[in-house]
Amino acid sequence: MTQQKDPKKDADLRLSPSEQLGYSSVTGIAGSGARSSTQRALASVTLGFELIVVFLVGLAIFGLRLLDPPELGIIAGVAVCGLCILALALMRRTKIGIYIGWAVQVIVFLGGFFLTPIFAVALMFGSLWVYCMIKGAKIDRERALFASL
């Protein structure tokens, strides 16, 4: 004797208050909602991690005294971090954040001319960025196609 489940009950997912708070926080930060974009969500995660690495690169340029005065390394790192934050903020509403994200990838690559190991960082985050742009757009197209059925 198997007991049949009520499909209506299974369709309604009930979250605990702490789970609901976490879900609301994450979707609010990522700018998701009813019309969320996977591409923007993936781009946000990539830029969030890159933000930390870019600041550390600025500290490395300062510590190695590659620029004169050395404080320019920190200033450059903070400036690129500011661009990352601006891109993250604008990404929630418009595609301008995506374009600023592309600019950040180019700036990080150009930083490799000051400190050669930055090319490895640029390659890693640049390839991740390209993957997120391509795969995220594909997922968004497939979701839109599925929703129209």
Side-chain angles (χ1 to χ4, degrees):
M1 246 193 260
T2 60
Q3 193 176 28
Q4 290 186 352
K5 293 183 180 179
D6 183 12
K8 176 75 172 142
K9 269 189 167 177
D10 288 343
D12 294 336
L13 176 64
R14 305 225 188 267
L15 299 176
S16 71
S18 61
E19 290 171 331
Q20 183 62 43
L21 177 65
Y23 177 77
S24 299
S25 299
V26 169
T27 54
I29 290 169
S32 3
R35 299 179 342 170
S36 65
S37 166
T38 303
Q39 184 184 41
R40 289 181 185 173
L42 292 173
S44 295
V45 171
T46 303
L47 276 181
F49 283 115
E50 192 167 10
L51 176 70
I52 299 165
V53 173
V54 163
F55 181 72
L56 294 174
V57 164
L59 288 176
I61 291 173
F62 166 74
L64 294 171
R65 305 206 182 279
L66 297 176
L67 299 174
D68 188 37
E71 291 78 19
L72 282 178
I74 293 177
I75 293 170
V78 168
V80 178
C81 285
L83 273 178
C84 288
I85 292 170
L86 179 66
L88 287 168
L90 292 175
M91 203 175 298
R92 296 180 71 181
R93 307 270 187 256
T94 66
K95 278 202 150 283
I96 294 172
I98 299 286
Y99 300 128
I100 295 173
W102 279 107
V104 167
Q105 303 312 314
V106 171
I107 291 169
V108 170
F109 175 78
L110 294 176
F113 292 108
F114 290 101
L115 185 61
T116 308
I118 296 176
F119 282 127
V121 171
L123 176 67
M124 182 176 59
F125 279 107
S127 57
L128 184 60
W129 181 263
V130 169
Y131 179 80
C132 289
M133 293 296 106
I134 294 170
K135 203 61 162 175
K138 180 181 177 188
I139 292 170
D140 288 340
R141 283 191 305 272
E142 289 174 355
R143 283 176 55 187
L145 180 64
F146 182 76
S148 68
L149 295 178

